[in-house]
Amino acid sequence: MSASLFPLPVALFAVAQALGFLLLAPLLRGLIKKMKAAFQLRQGPRLLQPYSDLAKLLRKEPVRSTTASWVFVAGPRVYFASAIAATTLLPTVFAAAPLEAAGGILLLVGLLALGRFALATAALDTGSPFGGMGASREMTVGALAEPALMLALFTAGLSAGSLNLGELVRRTAERGTSIHPGEILAAAALFIVLLAEAGRVPVDNPATHLELTMIHEAMVLEYSGADLALVEWASAVKELLFMTLLAGLFFPIGVATSLAPQALAISALALLAKVFALALMVVLVESTNAKLRFFRVPELMAVALGLGFLALAMRFF
Amino acid sequence: MIAAIPLLMSSRESLSRIAPAPGAFDGLSLPLAALAFAAALGLAAVLATRSAFARRPAPTWGCGGELTAEAEYTATAFSKPLMLIFGAIYRPTREVSTLETAPYYAREVRYRAEVEPTFERFVYRPATRGVLRLAERMRVIQAGSLHAYLGYVMALVLFLVVLLWWRG
């Protein structure tokens, strides 16, 4: 790659953004846990507990199944890498993504699918029936959530005339505060997808250790130590990524379009506030709903898909 | 992120250069994406260095019991949720018949599962049938006499010459 095509500042921007996601994602997890505990009148773990957990897991010796092959080892690494690479594709504080030239919506969805595939095959690798069950369920939920995700993103893409996430946020920010009704539906669809992708309550329960009800946790049951840390960290990054995506595409108020320090500060604060609001919504949904029976999940996903279809159809009127 | 800002400001034109051409609906640069992915993979490897060198082998957890090959998740089991959810399309049939029963347990069963090839039947097969039928028709002119073919080519050349002469 020639230097003119890949300048150093862009690389630094990409690295800074990826590190920002890595550093803030556990905090989001901690925040959600704390708010959930407050809803249940519990004190809950410390806000910074996820950092301690990750540090502990990274230091610990991993236990590996004697029947596991390299697929099992590669799983968490590919999952982690796909989530981190995906963070460089979306704009956060500044209305441009670091690696905008790499691709847009399709690459983002593809990268996330690659991570899911890696983890599902790794779960099958040990021969554990729970891993297989978790992988099967995860792939099923994924297969149902992905079309809804694509439809919601395409709706945003159609209104902006581009599938590039940076371009998309810039055009949405340019347009100001006017909101097309279709976008509200698309945002709702994306929120449901967020719940499914982050393994949140109506779809999955991130807190449970009941083997038969788990999806994501069942899939990663055989992991321990640093391998588990990678999986947990990447899942947290994925959750933050979906929230940033939702905030950036449908509520782009305050996004900095210039590099003036003031605009950037306002934009950073606005983004934090938006992510906080989304986290609060996730907590509300988690605290007021019971986990759906697995074969009821398709109905929820059908709602997301229907919202996505309606949103897309409304773009043409 | 703050450290990168002055650098960004010093080269705003480079930032505009990496964005795809305005008006482009979607741009994709796989080398760049692969580079980002490889860098992230490197970070994952560094973070989990400990797990690469120090590891303790242990048998796969089998829910307290002994884990045998029969307990492994099969492809049929793996695809079962999708089969059930899209049952209207796939129309799965499942047949379990007990062949031999020992005092309490079935000792031998026969299992048969089948999936209706919906797309095969309603999409691909009509298409292939149509193409084959067309090919059958066209065979008539395929296996003809060589002289006739030369005649066709001659006629075509004459036709084109006449066409050129007439139009130009």
Side-chain angles (χ1 to χ4, degrees):
Chain A
M1 193 145 302
S2 69
S4 66
L5 214 108
F6 193 67
L8 185 67
V10 172
L12 282 176
F13 186 18
V15 168
Q17 178 148 322
L19 284 182
F21 266 94
L22 277 173
L23 288 180
L24 288 176
L27 184 66
L28 175 70
R29 277 273 159 107
L31 183 73
I32 290 178
K33 267 198 183 137
K34 195 82 184 163
M35 286 199 287
K36 250 178 97 173
F39 261 91
Q40 297 160 359
L41 299 176
R42 288 189 292 121
Q43 201 174 0
R46 285 184 309 124
L47 197 60
L48 299 182
Q49 188 62 39
Y51 293 100
S52 315
D53 288 346
L54 282 179
K56 179 190 75 183
L57 284 175
L58 280 173
R59 275 201 314 271
K60 282 195 118 174
E61 177 194 47
V63 178
R64 280 212 193 120
S65 166
T66 43
T67 50
S69 70
W70 64 270
V71 177
F72 183 74
V73 184
R77 286 155 181 77
V78 173
Y79 182 61
F80 184 86
S82 70
I84 301 305
T87 62
T88 60
L89 296 178
L90 79 166
T92 48
V93 175
F94 181 57
L99 296 188
E100 223 162 81
I105 288 168
L106 295 174
L107 183 62
L108 179 83
V109 175
L111 273 173
L112 294 177
L114 173 70
R116 180 185 286 124
F117 168 76
L119 213 52
T121 39
L124 287 167
D125 188 48
T126 58
S128 154
F130 284 117
M133 187 173 64
S136 162
R137 289 175 174 178
E138 175 91 5
M139 292 310 275
T140 307
V141 170
L144 296 170
E146 215 163 74
L149 171 66
M150 295 284 267
L151 279 179
L153 292 179
F154 278 148
T155 308
L158 265 182
S159 10
S162 172
L163 285 185
N164 196 284
L165 287 161
E167 188 68 22
L168 233 154
V169 169
R170 278 195 291 282
R171 299 223 190 138
T172 321
E174 244 168 52
R175 217 181 44 208
T177 48
S178 71
I179 287 180
H180 191 278
E183 276 171 24
I184 300 171
L185 297 184
L190 199 56
F191 184 73
I192 297 177
V193 172
L194 160 75
L195 292 175
E197 291 277 347
R200 289 288 163 193
V201 146
V203 178
D204 190 5
N205 191 346
T208 185
H209 286 285
L210 280 171
E211 298 122 2
L212 293 171
T213 58
M214 310 187 291
I215 299 177
H216 182 83
E217 298 296 319
M219 187 167 60
V220 301
L221 201 70
E222 286 287 326
Y223 283 113
S224 56
D227 294 340
L228 182 63
L230 285 183
V231 173
E232 294 285 326
W233 208 347
S235 297
V237 165
K238 223 172 103 178
E239 191 167 12
L240 183 59
L241 183 134
F242 268 97
M243 286 192 179
T244 315
L245 188 66
L246 190 55
L249 290 190
F250 298 106
F251 314 103
I253 307 151
V255 167
T257 43
S258 73
L259 283 164
Q262 209 178 353
L264 285 173
I266 291 174
S267 174
L269 283 177
L271 183 66
L272 286 180
K274 283 180 260 185
V275 170
F276 180 79
L278 281 169
L280 189 63
M281 276 168 74
V282 166
V283 169
L284 279 173
V285 170
E286 280 221 307
S287 304
T288 54
N289 284 280
K291 184 187 169 300
L292 286 175
R293 206 162 63 84
F294 183 66
F295 285 104
R296 295 286 303 277
V297 171
E299 292 166 26
L300 183 69
M301 290 299 121
V303 170
L305 199 63
L307 285 171
F309 264 121
L310 278 178
L312 200 62
M314 278 168 90
R315 289 305 327 171
F316 294 104
F317 296 110
Chain B
M1 193 159 287
I2 289 168
I5 287 168
L7 280 159
L8 274 174
M9 285 163 94
S10 66
S11 60
R12 283 195 68 178
E13 67 281 356
S14 66
L15 193 70
S16 61
R17 210 186 306 142
I18 58 153
F25 191 57
D26 192 24
L28 188 67
S29 160
L30 279 180
L32 192 55
L35 195 70
F37 184 76
L41 209 56
L43 177 67
V46 169
L47 279 173
T49 328
R50 174 118 180 80
S51 93
F53 294 108
R55 63 190 113 175
R56 190 147 50 88
T60 304
W61 186 64
C63 201
E66 203 191 333
L67 197 68
T68 55
E70 279 104 65
E72 221 175 310
Y73 227 60
T74 59
T76 317
F78 191 85
S79 56
K80 177 114 193 196
L82 279 177
M83 215 56 95
L84 285 178
I85 291 165
F86 295 106
I89 298 170
Y90 292 125
R91 302 191 180 284
T93 50
R94 185 169 163 275
E95 205 180 282
V96 183
S97 49
T98 310
L99 293 182
E100 194 191 330
T101 315
Y104 300 110
Y105 302 104
R107 287 185 63 112
E108 199 183 339
V109 291
R110 178 172 286 165
Y111 178 87
R112 197 180 68 89
E114 210 177 330
V115 169
E116 171 82 28
T118 308
F119 293 100
E120 183 94 346
R121 179 165 296 174
F122 296 109
V123 180
Y124 298 114
R125 212 163 288 162
T128 49
R129 211 181 291 140
V131 169
L132 282 176
R133 203 171 293 157
L134 196 68
E136 197 77 22
R137 288 269 173 85
M138 279 164 64
R139 211 155 69 180
V140 178
I141 48 169
Q142 274 278 339
S145 103
L146 192 62
H147 296 101
Y149 286 138
L150 289 174
Y152 294 149
V153 173
M154 192 63 200
L156 181 69
V157 169
L158 278 176
F159 171 72
L160 286 174
V161 165
V162 170
L163 197 71
L164 274 175
W165 175 70
W166 180 59
R167 296 202 61 182

